[in-house]
Amino acid sequence: MDLEAVRTFVAVAEAGQFQKAATDLSITQQAVSKRIAGLESNLGVRLFTRAPRGAELTIDGQAFLPHARELLRVAERAGASVRPGRRPLRVDVIASRSAQSGLMRGFHRAHPEIDLDVMMLFDIETAVTAIRSGAIDASFRAVAAPGRPLPEDIASVRVLDEPLQLLTGPAHTLAGARSVTIAQLTGHRIWMPGIAPGTEWGAYYDDLVAEFGLTIEVTGPNFGSDALLDTISDTPALATFMGEHSRLIWPADHGLRRIPVTDPTPVYPRSLLWHRDNPHPALATLRTHLAAATAGHDTAGTWTPGWAIPR
């Protein structure tokens, strides 16, 4: 149903005259007549009769009027629900226990007046498609994998470099170390079943292996972080990488160790992605908050693949 025709019908019903409704709507009387005729044809009934005092509602017009008003109210609510500034800021954080989820919690504490919808999408292609369609406003990513640059309409800014730590069980040979150099990890089995081919984190760890000769195993199904922690705790030969800011909880008897990696420290770069034409006012507030809340990048003694750094 043509909402402009419905809006015109309500205007004529309230004004009692086609000419007055035309003035109120800033259109011609001919346009008013054409819209009403189209609506009547669509409904198959007469809505008005001409009278000396103007236009009077027929019985069908009287029956349709409250529904027409409700249609216009529903249309207004629908528009307001997605209008920038009237709807929540929708941000993809990938995972609930991740560093980027922590960044968004900090943003919410600093700006509780801004409504948020936190999403968890899988790969960068899905996130970029959602940004371009308007399904989300922003996403935290490692920018792109080699050979797959971001589309021209997607902007990015690097917001956080997260150091990787080695996570071991209590019986691992490195469990007692205060820190380990990345060279010391050569020959050790690092198990990461969550690495999926074609993802930006898959490309990151491929480069880490190529650069430092590490052994990263991705075998077996990914049952989530709890199952991963259980296995690392019980298997002296296995370790895994974990982001320094990842929030994980495990039973006390697991005896897990988080060990800093140095010389250099591999860091995972987090960037915020958004559409260049996105007008949501809270998006600028988020970018300003992240710029003030996050540390500098490419500090001495750290490593990240060159393709993961925005240019």
Side-chain angles (χ1 to χ4, degrees), residues 67-227:
H67 300 291
R69 286 173 170 152
E70 181 60 23
L71 275 174
L72 296 179
R73 284 192 290 268
V74 169
E76 174 57 28
R77 289 196 298 270
S81 71
V82 297
R83 194 172 297 131
R86 299 285 297 277
R87 62 162 175 78
L89 183 70
R90 297 176 291 220
V91 182
D92 162 41
V93 300
I94 307 178
S96 61
R97 296 178 179 179
S98 62
Q100 53 269 29
S101 181
L103 290 176
M104 290 308 300
R105 288 195 297 272
F107 175 69
H108 180 60
R109 287 192 295 270
H111 297 279
E113 75 284 0
I114 295 177
D115 290 334
L116 290 175
D117 276 346
V118 176
M119 327 287 286
M120 282 172 274
L121 305 179
F122 182 64
D123 58 16
I124 191 167
E125 286 79 10
T126 302
V128 168
T129 298
I131 291 172
R132 300 183 85 181
S133 70
I136 64 173
D137 296 297
S139 175
F140 289 92
R141 295 285 159 175
V143 179
R148 288 183 289 171
L150 291 175
E152 289 294 326
D153 56 348
I154 302 297
S156 70
V157 63
R158 195 161 160 196
V159 295
L160 177 67
D161 286 356
E162 183 181 18
L164 296 187
Q165 294 181 332
L166 189 72
L167 188 73
T168 76
H172 194 278
T173 57
L174 297 174
R178 296 177 63 89
S179 66
V180 295
T181 66
I182 201 162
Q184 287 177 281
L185 300 182
T186 304
H188 288 280
R189 296 170 60 198
I190 300 170
W191 188 50
M192 303 189 69
I195 297 179
T199 59
E200 67 263 33
W201 56 90
Y204 175 89
Y205 285 105
D206 284 346
D207 274 32
L208 188 66
V209 167
E211 182 78 14
F212 299 106
L214 304 183
T215 301
I216 294 182
E217 301 178 7
V218 298
T219 55
N222 178 19
F223 290 112
S225 60
D226 289 343

